[in-house]
Amino acid sequence: MNQELLLTLVNNLNRAIIKFRGTYSAWSKRHHISYNEMLTLYTIREKGFCTQKQICDSYLLPRQTMNNVIIGMRENGLLELSPENSKGREKAFVLTEKGEAYAQPLLDSMNRFEEQAVALLGDEKLAALTALMLEYDQALGQALRDVR
């Protein structure tokens, strides 16, 4: 592949990834929560609880950023410590009763938003896109190890 075409494809892919995140950021803004609070709720939706480490590792965010988000959500009565999901120094958090009431309409809206997008794109295309993105991530990781 010639260098110009390669650069165009890689740049377009990177812009698409940034736009995905931008769309989730716009959804968050529309629902009056921060993008990082949305990621916290997203993690809880996926796992039933969250740790600062999970969120930072999954979304490549600075620990201090997520620490501030979790402190804020705890101070607002939305999150509480979950000793049964905590491991060593890694503290896990779950939604409080107030947090459940706060999060449920947001997560319902998120589910509808994502379901509509999948309906527009199609299950097979989403599965193929996901597989290709994971494969490309592996290739980038390998290239990072190989190229100095």
Side-chain angles (χ1 to χ4, degrees):
M1 180 178 302
N2 78 40
Q3 191 66 24
E4 188 176 326
L5 177 57
L6 174 65
L7 280 174
T8 298
L9 290 173
V10 171
N11 288 339
N12 288 343
L13 175 61
N14 286 325
R15 274 194 291 282
I17 291 167
I18 291 166
K19 286 182 178 189
F20 288 158
R21 293 183 79 151
T23 301
Y24 278 95
S25 181
W27 179 92
S28 299
K29 184 180 252 185
R30 182 180 290 179
H31 289 83
H32 310 288
I33 65 171
S34 76
Y35 179 74
N36 294 329
E37 288 171 327
M38 182 274 297
L39 293 177
T40 302
L41 296 178
Y42 206 88
T43 302
I44 291 172
R45 178 183 79 170
E46 179 184 359
K47 300 191 181 293
F49 66 94
C50 71
T51 69
Q52 180 180 322
K53 184 178 183 331
Q54 282 173 327
I55 298 168
C56 292
D57 289 352
S58 293
Y59 302 105
L60 306 176
L61 296 171
R63 288 196 185 279
Q64 189 59 47
T65 298
M66 285 317 302
N67 186 53
N68 291 337
V69 169
I70 288 172
I71 287 171
M73 292 179 80
R74 288 184 78 189
E75 287 174 351
N76 289 327
L78 303 176
L79 293 177
E80 64 186 358
L81 189 61
S82 172
E84 60 272 9
N85 292 308
S86 297
K87 293 181 182 155
R89 294 178 52 203
E90 190 176 342
K91 295 177 185 169
F93 299 93
V94 294
L95 292 169
T96 62
E97 191 173 311
K98 178 181 177 182
E100 290 278 353
Y102 170 79
Q104 196 57 56
L106 294 169
L107 293 174
D108 288 346
S109 174
M110 174 72 68
N111 290 340
R112 287 190 306 275
F113 161 66
E114 291 173 329
E115 286 168 4
Q116 183 175 355
V118 172
L120 292 168
L121 182 64
D123 294 357
E124 289 180 14
K125 283 184 180 178
L126 181 62
L129 175 63
T130 303
L132 288 170
M133 292 293 290
L134 291 170
E135 188 176 336
Y136 185 61
D137 179 57
Q138 292 294 315
L140 281 173
Q142 181 64 47
L144 182 61
R145 287 185 295 277
D146 293 348
V147 177
R148 299 279 175 224

